[in-house]
Amino acid sequence: MRTLILALLLCLLAANGQAQGPSGLPDFKALMKTQGPAVVNIIAVGTREKRGDKSAAAGGDAPSRGEGLGSGFIISEDGYILTNAHLVAGADDVTVRLADAKREFRAAVVGADQRSDVALLKVRARGLPTARLGSSASLEPGDWVAAIGSPFGFANTITAGIVSAKGRSLPEELYVPFIQTDVAVNPGNSGGPLLNLRGEVVGMNSLIYSGTGGYMGVSFAIPIEVALKVSRELQSRGKVTRGRAGLAVQTLTPELARSFKVDSVSGGVIVNLEKGGPAERAGARVGDVILEWNGEPVDDPGELPRIVAATPPGSAARMTISRSGVRRTLDLTVGEVPAEPIAAKTPPAGDEAGTLGMLLGEISSAEQASLGVDYGLVVREVSAPPAAGSAILVGDVIVGVGGTRIHSREQFDSLVAGHEKGEPLALFVRRGEAALYVALAGGGSG
């Protein structure tokens, strides 16, 4: 009877297209044979971009001669290829080498979207092998998945593991609900496909979480639906447009929920409003709790930037809020996310180091307008305690100390110096569209 049940289970798995070996474990041979030819090696000469250590790009490290190595996959037989934006950012020349190592092409960058880390390339060719595209919607934690790419330049390498989680939000990646896996992803895997056991592409490998720059069991992939949506916009318009409400929210705790007279911790409380922005013009106030956006419940505030971004700029939207326990609906006209995020790659002249172990620089007037603030200090480098042990990140923009908004570098230094040494110091920061308090271990000049 046990043998019969096992045989029936194996038949069911086979009927669902799930490749199984004699032991009942996944068999990746067929997957590699059918999908391997559609995975390409990408050589980007002149690449200058590089991600940080914690959210290190899987293929963003560039050797000293200025050559970045990564992966991609072909999505059309006439030569359209998906890869990561960070791999080709700043590249003067991009070469695509096919899996058979017999053909290579010079590629044109159709477009690259840094916020989603998706780029679309085009080579002049016909009859190319194409990847089988699937959906990430049916993925669940525990499902087997595989990655094909060129780790450390070793072309057409397959590694396997399981889905660890879905819908992951990362501090500097507001617009992508990442798929987390324990698949071995290393420098050079960037831009390659993440596949299910049916051989369908369900994601594009993009990031690793590592203190060393190598694989440590935590990898992140962009859902294929996100990558394809971005690629279609890049192909049709050359850029990606995203909606913007001009606000920042913070997660509700049970204590905050009670203080704002809401029944649950679902939703997010507004902690910052862009002056003259869409939400402020619609009548929103700091302290309002956002419950719904266009009728869609906002259960997790981390989802709000993605929900708003998916709303076409210029369109009408309805935002349901709770104000002092009273439910209201605000009508607003959606704005557009600025074309480029704040750059914090190379510290310009005038940046100052030393305060709280951070290298800080003043943001420009254009960046102030983009964030809806009068003044801010961008964190360009974190080099020493106490900041090194905190949650402060490179690229954060400090706009306040405690409950005081800052208007100059001198005021910021004075507030820090006047803080009691050894006591936690709360900095109010803008991180993309989000706003939050970051507590440093200690402050003061004592």
Side-chain angles (χ1 to χ4, degrees):
M1 177 62 75
R2 185 176 299 171
T3 303
L4 177 59
I5 292 173
L6 179 59
L8 287 171
L9 286 173
L10 292 175
C11 287
L12 285 171
L13 288 169
N16 287 328
Q18 308 260 341
Q20 300 289 316
S23 65
L25 294 173
D27 185 350
F28 296 100
K29 291 194 297 291
L31 182 153
M32 185 62 179
K33 289 178 182 177
T34 59
Q35 299 305 306
V39 182
V40 299
N41 189 18
I42 294 175
I43 303 99
V45 178
T47 300
R48 292 180 293 275
E49 296 289 331
K50 184 179 178 181
R51 296 289 181 103
D53 289 337
K54 286 191 176 180
S55 294
D61 290 334
S64 58
R65 68 178 186 274
E67 181 177 278
L69 303 177
S71 305
F73 52 100
I74 306 168
I75 59 173
S76 69
E77 60 86 24
D78 61 343
Y80 282 100
I81 297 166
L82 282 180
T83 188
N84 283 149
H86 76 258
L87 178 64
V88 298
D92 303 312
D93 186 76
V94 179
T95 300
V96 170
R97 184 176 297 148
L98 267 58
D100 59 17
K102 296 177 182 177
R103 290 182 291 172
E104 66 178 40
F105 305 91
R106 188 170 183 176
V109 180
V110 177
D113 178 52
Q114 299 297 328
R115 287 188 171 93
S116 63
D117 199 21
V118 173
L120 181 66
L121 310 182
K122 179 68 169 67
V123 298
R124 298 180 64 180
R126 293 282 180 182
L128 295 176
T130 59
R132 183 181 176 188
L133 304 178
S135 168
S136 68
S138 60
L139 281 182
E140 294 183 10
D143 283 345
W144 283 97
V145 283
I148 303 177
S150 304
F152 303 109
F154 295 108
N156 232 220
T157 296
I158 185 170
T159 54
I162 62 170
V163 174
S164 304
K166 289 179 62 179
R168 286 294 197 210
S169 296
L170 300 179
E172 296 179 316
E173 315 289 338
L174 298 177
Y175 302 110
V176 178
F178 284 99
I179 304 164
Q180 181 185 332
T181 78
D182 70 348
V183 177
V185 170
N186 281 293
N189 273 115
S190 236
L194 183 74
L195 304 113
N196 61 22
L197 290 184
R198 291 186 292 274
E200 299 167 335
V201 179
V202 293
M204 178 166 64
N205 296 307
S206 176
L207 303 170
I208 56 177
Y209 193 95
S210 171
T212 64
Y215 168 71
M216 295 184 72
V218 183
S219 309
F220 297 95
I222 302 162
I224 188 61
E225 296 89 345
V226 173
L228 290 175
K229 182 178 184 296
V230 169
S231 71
R232 286 191 289 266
E233 290 198 52
L234 292 175
Q235 185 174 353
S236 62
R237 294 199 294 251
K239 66 173 186 175
V240 178
T241 58
R242 294 181 173 89
R244 177 175 59 87
L247 56 80
V249 296
Q250 182 170 324
T251 301
L252 283 174
T253 63
E255 294 76 18
L256 284 174
R258 287 197 299 272
S259 69
F260 288 114
K261 300 180 181 179
V262 292
D263 297 331
S264 72
V265 294
S266 295
V269 59
I270 298 177
V271 294
N272 192 69
L273 283 169
E274 174 191 335
K275 291 182 179 178
E280 187 183 68
R281 290 198 305 270
R285 301 177 187 172
V286 172
D288 288 346
V289 178
I290 301 176
L291 304 175
E292 295 178 0
W293 177 270
N294 277 342
E296 182 178 351
V298 181
D299 295 323
D300 178 4
E303 292 289 329
L304 187 62
R306 295 195 281 268
I307 296 172
V308 175
T311 312
S315 65
R318 296 172 69 85
M319 186 170 69
T320 303
I321 64 166
S322 174
R323 181 180 296 166
S324 300
V326 179
R327 191 180 178 98
R328 302 167 182 247
T329 298
L330 305 178
D331 295 313
L332 56 88
T333 300
V334 179
E336 183 174 345
V337 173
E340 294 294 334
I342 291 176
K345 301 296 181 184
T346 305
D351 283 3
E352 300 178 30
T355 304
L356 301 174
M358 296 180 289
L359 181 68
L360 302 174
E362 295 181 334
I363 62 174
S364 67
S365 57
E367 292 166 342
Q368 290 173 19
S370 172
L371 291 173
V373 298
D374 296 325
Y375 183 83
L377 292 168
V378 63
V379 179
R380 301 195 187 279
E381 185 177 316
V382 178
S383 57
S390 75
I392 202 80
L393 299 175
V394 171
D396 284 349
V397 178
I398 302 170
V399 296
V401 178
T404 305
R405 289 301 182 97
I406 59 173
H407 302 286
S408 68
R409 178 61 191 256
E410 291 74 19
Q411 182 194 14
F412 172 77
D413 289 339
S414 175
L415 289 169
V416 171
H419 189 78
E420 186 176 348
K421 187 176 181 180
E423 289 297 315
L425 176 65
L427 300 181
F428 190 53
V429 305
R430 291 295 302 274
R431 185 174 292 168
E433 286 284 293
L436 67 157
Y437 278 102
V438 175
L440 301 190
S445 60

